[in-house]
């Protein structure tokens, strides 16, 4: 078995319906995986049931069996029983805190390494890297560690945009990621623009969608990665 993980930048592109743009990316992972467990822990401002309902509706055309991990008395067993794992967006710190709280970090890492499919978006993609140190989110809660699932051995920055609003004097996203590379010049960061995704299949890593991604690593800053690029070298 090999890793099969889809890491989406976002759940929406522009004003499209929830997860609609991602259906073509998600579908190949669901042809032989029908039973999915959804992890809603990043959804702090809504109930987990509401979050689950939005995911079920958004993916309804794929006719999947999706349940929420909060509906199961034993979260670890729920992960083991599922064909695949869905991890939604929201607050990355709260997501990772709850994954540690329920002792799921090591389990998910092991299950995905053994071939269990993984699909994450936004915060669900953030936690799939080495750590959550390049998330955009406010640290509303302190997880035991910033270490992530290590499904990919680098950092992710979903929703990447270097837009600076007129009159705004805060740092741009690129400036924030420059700060990361100053304290950690070895670890690459991939900035994923909304509408794009990374798909890991074993030792192969592809950039999906029609948008460029951006690489930050050491002296390399905001280097465009054209759509469709093979990024397998980042796995080594």
């Amino acid at each position: 078995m090999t890793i099969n993980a889809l890491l989406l930048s976002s759940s929406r592109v522009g004003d499209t319906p929830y997860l609609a743009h991602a259906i073509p990316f998600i579908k190949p992972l669901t042809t032989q995986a029908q039973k999915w467990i959804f992890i809603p822990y990043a959804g702090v401002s809504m109930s987990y049931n509401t979050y689950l309902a939005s995911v079920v509706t958004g993916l309804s055309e794929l006719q999947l069996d999706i349940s929420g991990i909060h509906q199961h008395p034993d979260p670890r067993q729920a992960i083991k029983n599922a064909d695949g794992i869905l991890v939604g967006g929201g607050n990355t710190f709260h997501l990772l805190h709850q994954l540690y709280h329920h002792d799921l970090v090591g389990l998910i890492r092991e299950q995905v390494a053994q071939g269990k499919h993984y699909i994450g978006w936004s915060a669900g993609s953030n936690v799939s890297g080495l750590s959550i140190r390049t998330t955009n989110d406010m640290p509303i809660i302190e997880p035991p560690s910033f270490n992530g699932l290590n499904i990919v051995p680098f950092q992710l920055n979903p929703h990447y945009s270097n837009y600076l609003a007129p009159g705004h004097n805060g740092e741009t996203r690129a400036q924030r990621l420059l700060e990361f590379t100053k304290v950690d010049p070895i670890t690459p960061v991939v900035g994923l623009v909304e509408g794009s995704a990374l798909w890991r299949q074993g030792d192969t890593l592809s950039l999906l969608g029609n948008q460029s991604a951006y690489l930050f690593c050491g002296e390399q800053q905001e280097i465009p990665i054209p759509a469709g690029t093979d990024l397998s070298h980042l796995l080594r």
Side-chain angles (χ1 to χ4, degrees):
M1 301 294 287
T2 59
I3 292 177
N4 196 347
L6 179 67
L7 312 175
L8 298 149
S9 175
S10 59
S11 59
R12 288 188 176 93
V13 177
D15 58 358
T16 58
Y18 191 71
L19 291 173
H21 82 281
I23 295 294
F25 300 154
I26 293 173
K27 190 173 183 178
L29 281 79
T30 64
T31 54
Q32 295 183 343
Q34 291 296 307
K35 186 177 181 181
W36 290 78
I37 192 77
F38 173 60
I39 298 178
Y41 297 150
V44 179
S45 59
M46 70 183 87
S47 74
Y48 291 165
N49 283 335
T50 298
Y51 200 171
L52 172 62
S54 68
V55 172
V56 170
T57 299
L59 299 180
S60 59
E61 71 177 79
L62 298 177
Q63 299 183 326
L64 303 175
D65 176 3
I66 305 173
S67 64
I69 198 167
H70 62 287
Q71 298 174 313
H72 295 263
D74 185 342
R76 288 178 56 85
Q77 193 60 47
I79 293 286
K80 295 176 183 178
N81 291 344
D83 299 327
I85 303 165
L86 296 164
V87 186
N91 187 277
T92 309
F93 290 92
H94 193 268
L95 168 59
L96 190 58
H97 178 277
Q98 292 302 101
L99 291 178
Y100 275 110
H101 174 73
H102 293 289
D103 192 25
L104 299 177
V105 173
L107 176 64
I108 293 174
R109 184 184 297 133
E110 292 167 4
Q111 293 275 297
V112 173
Q114 292 168 11
K116 184 158 293 185
H117 295 359
Y118 180 98
I119 299 172
W121 54 92
S122 190
S125 294
N126 266 322
V127 296
S128 70
L130 285 177
S131 79
I132 65 167
R133 290 179 294 156
T134 50
T135 179
N136 308 313
D137 302 330
M138 185 174 288
I140 60 173
I141 194 168
E142 184 177 3
S145 170
F146 288 163
N147 291 339
L149 301 174
N150 197 14
I151 294 172
V152 290
F154 52 85
Q155 295 288 131
L156 287 162
N157 182 250
H159 301 282
Y160 181 78
S161 170
N162 204 29
Y163 173 74
L164 180 63
H168 180 70
N169 296 308
E171 288 82 359
T172 65
R173 189 76 58 77
Q175 288 172 321
R176 290 300 192 195
L177 294 178
L178 170 63
E179 293 173 344
F180 174 84
T181 62
K182 289 296 184 182
V183 299
D184 188 342
I186 297 174
T187 303
V189 184
V190 176
L192 283 176
V193 174
E194 291 187 348
S196 62
L198 294 176
W199 187 10
R200 178 171 184 182
Q201 302 171 83
D203 295 328
T204 301
L205 183 69
S206 306
L207 176 62
L208 306 183
N210 57 13
Q211 300 285 335
S212 294
Y214 294 89
L215 176 67
F216 299 79
C217 188
E219 297 300 315
Q220 301 180 82
Q221 295 295 310
E222 205 176 19
I223 305 300
I225 304 171
T229 297
D230 183 340
L231 293 172
S232 304
H233 65 281
L234 292 179
L235 301 177
R236 297 188 282 272

